[in-house]
Amino acid sequence: MKIKSAEFVVSNSAVEKCPKSRLPEYAFIGRSNVGKSSLINMLTSRKSLAKTSGRPGKTQLINHFLINKNWHLVDLPGYGYARVSKSAKKVFQKFITQYFAYREQLVTAFVLVDIRHEPQPIDLEFMQWLGENGIPFSIIFTKADKLRPKAIENHIEVYKNIMLETWEEVPNYFITSSSKDIGKDDVLEYIDSLNENFISN
Ligand code: GTP
Ligand code: MG
């Protein structure tokens, strides 16, 4: 799929304030600093459509981007950011949880996982929660440029085995690097195929 246009629509902290249109949408979620905003920039070939930072906690709101005038990409704040106060964490969890619980046009969530690390409980728990709530998701492994191919293979194998302890099948997954432009076409083709099957109601 070719990205012909990509524009910022709105930022907010409440699912009720998200765009009312019934366009299919795809949300990027994962730990702070995993590379959600960078991935959106890679997919859209726009350097700074989504704001990125070396410091975790950059994205604080639900950000909608309109792509090719007919679907949305959604950049979300990260979870697991230790320096956010407890009360801020609660507010955050609430609006993110509500986004996933109520956003009917959400076709799939992409859960981003840093390929360098062992499977983290917070990610596994979040995927579990998505599963329990019937929200489809795929895993996107990020920062593949940081590992050699053999190490990538090993890490994926470890991840698959952990997933199979609780899931019947390994979820759909992608290997990406935003700094090296890896995995872009795979993710875009996947979104394209889901867009074709999306029936607005
Ligand atoms: P929050 O908004 O804070 O939750 O973070 P985020 O998940 O949106 O991460 P962001 O895209 O801001 O990237 C965090 C840091 O990781 C930045 O310094 C990026 O340059 C870096 N980064 C993101 N993707 C990659 C990648 O594929 N490879 C490498 N080497 N660095 C990356
Ligand atoms: Mg971000």
Side-chain angles (χ1 to χ4, degrees):
M1 168 173 38
K2 229 180 129 109
I3 305 292
K4 292 180 220 126
S5 67
E7 38 195 302
F8 169 72
V9 182
V10 67
S11 292
N12 65 76
S13 60
V15 65
E16 318 82 77
K17 294 188 192 145
C18 289
K20 300 270 180 277
S21 62
R22 305 291 306 185
L23 300 174
E25 76 186 40
Y26 303 86
F28 295 84
I29 183 80
R31 286 161 74 87
S32 284
N33 219 41
V34 68
K36 300 174 293 295
S37 303
S38 303
L39 190 86
I40 287 180
N41 291 336
M42 172 181 80
L43 293 176
T44 55
S45 306
R46 304 295 191 275
K47 272 204 182 79
S48 45
L49 183 65
K51 293 195 181 93
T52 65
S53 167
R55 287 216 315 244
K58 179 68 179 174
T59 310
Q60 300 271 346
L61 297 166
I62 303 170
N63 298 285
H64 274 77
F65 299 96
L66 179 65
I67 314 298
N68 290 350
K69 313 261 184 219
N70 64 4
W71 53 282
H72 284 124
L73 279 182
V74 181
D75 193 15
L76 293 170
Y79 49 68
Y81 175 41
R83 278 165 64 199
V84 173
S85 71
K86 265 198 181 143
S87 56
K89 240 182 220 167
K90 267 198 184 146
V91 172
F92 161 77
Q93 280 165 353
K94 199 165 174 209
F95 80 74
I96 296 300
T97 309
Q98 291 190 334
Y99 169 82
F100 283 103
Y102 296 112
R103 194 68 178 158
E104 287 174 1
Q105 52 276 74
L106 177 70
V107 179
T108 276
F110 288 106
V111 180
L112 275 63
V113 171
D114 189 325
I115 196 150
R116 293 173 294 175
H117 306 316
E118 300 257 298
Q120 307 278 310
I122 195 167
D123 295 318
L124 300 173
E125 281 160 20
F126 187 74
M127 289 186 242
Q128 194 67 35
W129 181 83
L130 288 174
E132 281 161 12
N133 287 278
I135 299 159
F137 69 91
S138 295
I139 300 175
I140 292 189
F141 292 101
T142 64
K143 309 195 183 184
D145 56 286
K146 298 265 196 187
L147 290 182
R148 290 167 187 277
K150 192 75 204 158
I152 291 180
E153 225 175 88
N154 290 340
H155 285 214
I156 299 282
E157 212 42 48
V158 169
Y159 222 94
K160 280 184 178 169
N161 289 334
I162 289 265
M163 293 304 286
L164 289 174
E165 286 175 13
T166 44
W167 296 83
E168 261 174 43
E169 288 173 50
V170 177
N172 196 14
Y173 67 89
F174 300 90
I175 298 169
T176 68
S177 161
S178 299
S179 50
K180 292 270 160 69
D181 235 23
I182 297 169
K184 177 175 167 175
D185 292 343
D186 294 342
V187 177
L188 287 178
E189 286 318 308
Y190 182 61
I191 292 175
D192 204 20
S193 69
L194 294 175
N195 277 342
E196 275 177 19
N197 292 325
F198 180 82
I199 299 161
S200 169
N201 47 26

